[in-house]
Amino acid sequence: MSAVLLMLLVSTVNAGTLLEKGSLRREARRLSCMRCCGPSEEPVSFASSRSTRMSNDPTYSVPRVQPTIDITILKGEKGDVGGKGITGGPGKDGEQGLRGYNGRKGQKGQVGPPGNSCKLHYAAFSVGRRKPLHSLDYFQHVTFDTEFVNLYKHFSMFTGKFFCYVPGIYFFNLNVHTWNFKETYLHLMKNNKEVAILYAQPSDRSIMQSQSLMLELLEGDEVWVRMYKRERENGIYSEESDIYITFNGHLIKPAIE
């Protein structure tokens, strides 16, 4: 009896074991065939899975090749200059700069015309030259460096000319000194025309020469002295201590009387 029970018990255990193994095989077959996935979760193939593993693994990663382009090879020829664009609007005013240096003082200008010529009936001047002068050009202007009388500044020491502000009859006188075998030839000028000549022949003696005349002047006329050079050397002489060259003029009769 006990032997029969023992055999039944062994057979029952073996049957349970067989049933358990069969159910495990069926469960495994069911799990491998019954996988559920959504539309976007497609099963990944073995090849793609292997590629993904190799790309993530630094051992199997393929180096990236980044191409470079030499721009100098692709550079074309220089194009033509384009047309001038539209001028832009004016910019903002900049800050005021620093004050510059003071310039040189200019030459003294001529005296302006008198305020009322009817009340001014006087005009006179007397000037001299302390330095000798030799002609270098065909015509040479004679200037003066010493002022004796210059009423109302009608004579310009800068230009060496007398400017007529009061029309009328004037008297003029020119004195020069010549020597040392130099010819002396000067013109007394009214505007741009010679009206009188002062001449002295070459000599070894010290000679004083003089020329005088009267002229009728209109307002704006100019009277001055010009040296004239011919074949010989032309010169006039003076000294720092003694003045030998003088030029004088004064109004005799105004035109309004």
Side-chain angles (χ1 to χ4, degrees):
M1 184 70 178
S2 60
V4 174
L5 291 174
L6 182 59
M7 291 178 64
L8 291 173
L9 179 60
V10 171
S11 61
T12 303
V13 172
N14 292 332
T17 303
L18 293 173
L19 291 173
E20 185 177 359
K21 289 182 180 180
S23 63
L24 289 176
R25 290 192 188 97
R26 288 193 298 270
E27 184 67 21
R29 284 196 298 270
R30 184 178 64 83
L31 291 176
S32 60
C33 296
M34 296 299 292
R35 180 175 178 177
C36 297
C37 58
S40 60
E41 295 181 357
E42 295 292 336
V44 181
S45 63
F46 177 77
S48 62
S49 176
R50 182 175 179 274
S51 175
T52 303
R53 289 196 306 271
M54 291 178 66
S55 62
N56 293 332
D57 190 351
T59 306
Y60 300 100
S61 60
V62 180
R64 287 189 177 182
V65 179
Q66 185 174 358
T68 57
I69 301 175
D70 190 356
I71 301 178
T72 58
I73 300 176
L74 303 178
K75 185 177 180 180
E77 296 182 356
K78 185 176 180 180
D80 297 334
V81 179
K84 186 177 180 181
I86 301 174
T87 304
K92 295 181 179 180
D93 294 338
E95 297 181 0
Q96 185 175 359
L98 299 176
R99 183 176 180 180
Y101 297 102
N102 294 330
R104 295 182 179 180
K105 186 177 180 181
Q107 297 289 341
K108 185 177 180 180
Q110 294 184 353
V111 178
N116 189 347
S117 59
C118 297
K119 296 181 180 180
L120 184 62
H121 298 162
Y122 302 99
F125 74 92
S126 179
V127 294
R129 182 180 176 91
R130 294 181 181 273
K131 297 179 180 180
L133 181 65
H134 297 267
S135 60
L136 301 176
D137 299 323
Y138 188 66
F139 292 117
Q140 186 168 346
H141 194 110
V142 179
T143 57
F144 301 87
D145 51 28
T146 304
E147 183 181 79
F148 299 112
V149 175
N150 194 2
L151 190 62
Y152 307 117
K153 303 296 181 181
H154 290 179
F155 186 89
S156 173
M157 298 297 293
F158 179 72
T159 62
K161 294 182 178 182
F162 171 76
F163 189 86
C164 177
Y165 291 103
V166 184
I169 306 299
Y170 284 81
F171 174 82
F172 294 97
N173 171 256
L174 176 64
N175 300 287
V176 297
H177 176 222
T178 180
W179 71 296
N180 197 18
F181 296 99
K182 296 296 190 299
E183 187 177 45
T184 301
Y185 207 128
L186 295 99
H187 291 154
L188 195 61
M189 305 290 295
K190 177 183 176 182
N191 299 323
N192 293 322
K193 182 180 180 181
E194 61 271 13
V195 292
I197 295 174
L198 189 154
Y199 177 75
Q201 290 183 345
S203 175
D204 59 347
R205 296 180 300 168
S206 177
I207 301 175
M208 291 291 299
Q209 295 288 343
S210 178
Q211 179 66 279
S212 302
L213 77 164
M214 288 190 295
L215 293 173
E216 183 176 3
L217 302 180
L218 301 176
E219 186 176 357
D221 286 340
E222 294 178 331
V223 180
W224 51 289
V225 180
R226 181 180 71 182
M227 183 178 287
Y228 172 52
K229 181 181 180 181
R230 300 197 299 179
E231 293 81 7
R232 289 178 173 270
E233 293 185 12
N234 192 354
I236 52 179
Y237 295 88
S238 190
E239 297 180 1
E240 291 290 339
S241 57
D242 297 319
I243 297 178
Y244 293 94
I245 305 169
T246 60
F247 183 35
N248 314 284
H250 65 274
L251 176 66
I252 298 176
K253 182 182 180 297
I256 61 175
E257 294 184 357

